[in-house]
Amino acid sequence: MNVFLIDIAVMAALVIVGRILTFQRRGSRYRRGISFVAWLVTCANFTLIVKLPGMPPPEPVTALLAIWQVAFAILLLRHDGNLAHLLRSLHLTRRH
């Protein structure tokens, strides 16, 4: 069961990294802070892709990680990879 959850978390991380890397602004303004957050999310997920298969965490942590990764991947896909819109919908950024 643990290997199955690790595979799910890694596949979700691949979806997240792929969607962030292929995001196109299409004329929207450049936001330095959001770009930094996207870079952090990409680095964290890339580290997860590389490290997780070799060093699996305990079973409950793996289950929570898989759920978190799948939920984040679904949210990111629903917002077409736009991290600023995703964070705004979660009310984590201030509106001016």
Side-chain angles (χ1 to χ4, degrees):
M1 185 72 166
N2 200 14
V3 174
F4 178 68
L5 292 173
I6 289 173
D7 290 344
I8 289 175
V10 169
M11 285 189 284
L14 284 169
V15 169
I16 292 168
V17 169
R19 190 60 194 117
I20 288 177
L21 288 178
T22 59
F23 173 71
Q24 295 179 352
R25 289 187 297 131
R26 294 192 182 106
S28 61
R29 68 186 184 122
Y30 176 77
R31 294 180 174 171
R32 194 175 307 181
I34 296 297
S35 296
F36 182 69
V37 171
W39 177 78
L40 284 176
V41 169
T42 303
C43 288
N45 280 289
F46 186 74
T47 303
L48 187 92
I49 292 167
V50 172
K51 296 274 186 177
L52 192 61
M55 297 178 3
E59 183 78 28
V61 175
T62 307
L64 290 175
L65 181 65
I67 291 169
W68 167 258
Q69 288 293 106
V70 168
F72 191 73
I74 290 171
L75 285 173
L76 195 62
L77 289 172
R78 286 184 58 141
H79 289 276
D80 296 325
N82 193 337
L83 205 54
H85 288 177
L86 172 63
L87 294 176
R88 189 179 309 127
S89 72
L90 296 174
H91 300 291
L92 295 177
T93 58
R94 294 183 304 162
R95 291 187 184 181
H96 296 288

